[in-house]
Amino acid sequence: MEIDRLVHIRYRRQCQSLAQCTWKAGNLTVLSTDPLLHKGPVQLDFHFRLTPQTSAHWHGLLCDHRLFLDIPYRALDQGNRESLTAALEYVEEKTNVDSVFVNFQNNRNDRGALLRAFSYMGFEVVRPDHPALPPWDNVIFMVFKLETSEGNQRRYMVPVELVEGQEHSRRLQK
């Protein structure tokens, strides 16, 4: 619904003015709203410095052990891929997130390339009526589940091959 999208945009603008630096290492800076000031989702913004003059930016919303990331335009450029990797490493190491959702407009010109690239990284398309998703029209969501093993160490899911239409994955210890 368009009203839900407008509420999200208004909430995002309001949160941006309250953002503070949460974490900084290497080229990645994470900004967030103060969770004590909000009784709901916490905004996380990931800024990854590509050069002294340019950076890649991923906007996220942290809610109930789930992180929702908006896919920026030109997300498949090398710099944006590096920034996504850095953001996912931060999420995996510094938060209690168990699922990362990415989303993009259904009518994007690079939709096919995004679906292929994120599928290759281990993301799966989520059906639009899934209860964890906001009720937005014309948006595609994909999810990556962060799995834990015994001893609470996280593992990546890395696709290896497609066999008879089913994806088989190899688990790599981080």
Side-chain angles (χ1 to χ4, degrees), residues 18-136:
L18 301 172
Q20 59 189 10
C21 184
T22 300
W23 190 77
K24 183 168 179 42
N27 291 344
L28 182 66
T29 301
V30 181
L31 302 173
S32 73
T33 54
D34 186 344
L36 299 176
L37 296 177
H38 299 286
K39 301 235 190 279
V42 174
Q43 177 182 335
L44 288 178
D45 284 310
F46 301 91
H47 295 268
F48 187 83
R49 186 183 352 224
L50 301 170
T51 69
Q53 293 81 22
T54 62
S55 64
H57 175 250
W58 292 80
H59 170 74
L61 219 50
L62 182 61
C63 180
D64 298 326
H65 304 286
R66 295 183 300 256
L67 177 66
F68 294 87
L69 287 175
D70 294 330
I71 297 179
Y73 282 93
R74 302 185 59 166
L76 300 179
D77 290 354
Q78 183 61 35
N80 274 331
R81 287 184 286 181
E82 289 176 35
S83 66
L84 176 62
T85 300
L88 291 176
E89 286 174 356
Y90 168 84
V91 168
E92 184 176 50
E93 294 171 7
K94 306 290 183 191
T95 71
N96 60 357
V97 166
D98 56 30
S99 300
V100 177
F101 291 84
V102 294
N103 72 84
F104 55 93
Q105 294 293 314
N106 192 25
N107 60 356
R108 281 182 58 158
N109 293 337
D110 58 351
R111 182 183 77 186
L114 289 171
L115 288 167
R116 282 189 297 280
F118 280 92
S119 292
Y120 179 77
M121 289 187 282
F123 284 81
E124 296 177 2
V125 175
V126 182
R127 59 179 213 277
D129 62 344
H130 190 280
L133 300 181
W136 296 344

